[in-house]
Amino acid sequence: MKGIIIYQGKYGATEQYAQWLGSSLHLSSLKVKDATADALAGYDLVIVGSSVYVGKLVIRKWLRQNLGLLASKKLILFIVCGTTAEDKIQQQQLVHNNLDPLIRKSTKVFFLPGRCIVAKLSLIDRLVLKMGAMLEKDPRKKAVMNNGFDGIDQKCLDNLIEVAEPFLNPELVTSTQ
Ligand SMILES: Cc1cc2nc3c(=O)[nH]c(=O)nc-3n(C[C@H](O)[C@H](O)[C@H](O)COP(=O)(O)O)c2cc1C
């Protein structure tokens, strides 16, 4: 299978993961603005990366616009955000609210810890985050929203790479028969 990485983020966390993935899997990557239907022709495996802002995947519009095309390919989605594995229900909600039922079941989804450096945010994003922190009841999450966080780690890609590799290099999969 031929694979490609399509990604979109805002402050570099998603891009960093896309770059690490590209070098680990030897795949090229495209920002979403360049990921036209023509650019995707000939690729069977599409690895899509997106960060999350106020419950929405940055890439959700592109996913919607390319739904038919994506439904015909093997799709892996990595979501870079602040929602951690302890918040399973919130993670499930993100998938449910952002992925069309047509591709939801067949897409393998990975959550990756993101990065939020408050001083580097735009004024609007800083205000949105501040409002979120004011409304948040959980003191741990409130502190994270007020102070930012950095959970980026290349090792977090290990599971995704393990899933993608057999599609890209089926000859490396040892036969059990
Ligand atoms: C204004 C704002 C809103 C955010 N909303 C969410 C959210 O709803 N859920 C979540 O899990 N993370 C949320 N995050 C965290 C980002 O998804 C996280 O910082 C991510 O790593 C950003 O990646 P990027 O630099 O590639 O855009 C938010 C961050 C900011 C600044």
Side-chain angles (χ1 to χ4, degrees):
M1 267 193 178
K2 252 183 101 187
I4 188 160
I5 301 163
I6 310 295
Y7 70 94
Q8 186 66 50
K10 255 172 127 172
Y11 297 100
T14 310
E15 182 162 53
Q16 175 65 82
Y17 279 118
Q19 282 169 359
W20 278 330
L21 260 186
S23 34
S24 297
L25 293 170
H26 308 290
L27 296 180
S28 48
S29 56
L30 280 183
K31 280 195 178 164
V32 80
K33 67 175 168 55
D34 301 315
T36 58
D38 280 350
L40 289 188
Y43 292 102
D44 326 279
L45 171 68
V46 182
I47 303 179
V48 177
S50 175
S51 50
V52 178
Y53 287 84
V54 199
K56 290 184 174 154
L57 292 187
V58 175
I59 211 164
R60 73 191 179 287
K61 194 170 154 205
W62 181 86
L63 285 176
R64 221 177 21 242
Q65 284 167 346
N66 291 280
L67 196 58
L69 182 66
L70 293 171
S72 68
K73 299 184 186 281
K74 173 72 200 161
L75 199 60
I76 295 177
L77 172 66
F78 66 92
I79 300 177
V80 183
C81 63
T83 306
T84 61
E86 288 105 68
D87 271 324
K88 270 271 168 279
I89 293 176
Q90 228 173 312
Q91 287 190 342
Q92 281 164 3
Q93 268 169 3
L94 273 175
V95 172
H96 186 269
N97 296 342
N98 284 279
L99 271 195
D100 189 282
L102 190 65
I103 53 171
R104 201 183 297 147
K105 267 210 178 117
S106 56
T107 303
K108 184 84 185 135
V109 181
F110 294 88
F111 279 87
L112 305 175
R115 177 174 60 207
C116 175
I117 310 295
V118 178
K120 293 197 174 156
L121 298 176
S122 68
L123 183 60
I124 294 214
D125 280 345
R126 225 178 303 163
L127 284 175
V128 170
L129 203 61
K130 223 176 180 46
M131 275 168 57
M134 279 161 67
L135 296 170
E136 180 59 61
K137 292 195 174 70
D138 181 330
R140 188 190 56 84
K141 289 186 192 166
K142 200 190 251 304
V144 167
M145 283 174 161
N146 278 323
N147 304 325
F149 60 94
D150 188 353
I152 291 203
D153 185 350
Q154 191 167 5
K155 283 202 177 68
C156 299
L157 288 167
D158 287 354
N159 290 341
L160 193 166
I161 289 169
E162 211 173 289
V163 166
E165 247 166 359
F167 290 105
L168 297 165
N169 305 302
E171 70 283 358
L172 296 181
V173 179
T174 44
S175 169
T176 51
Q177 291 167 354

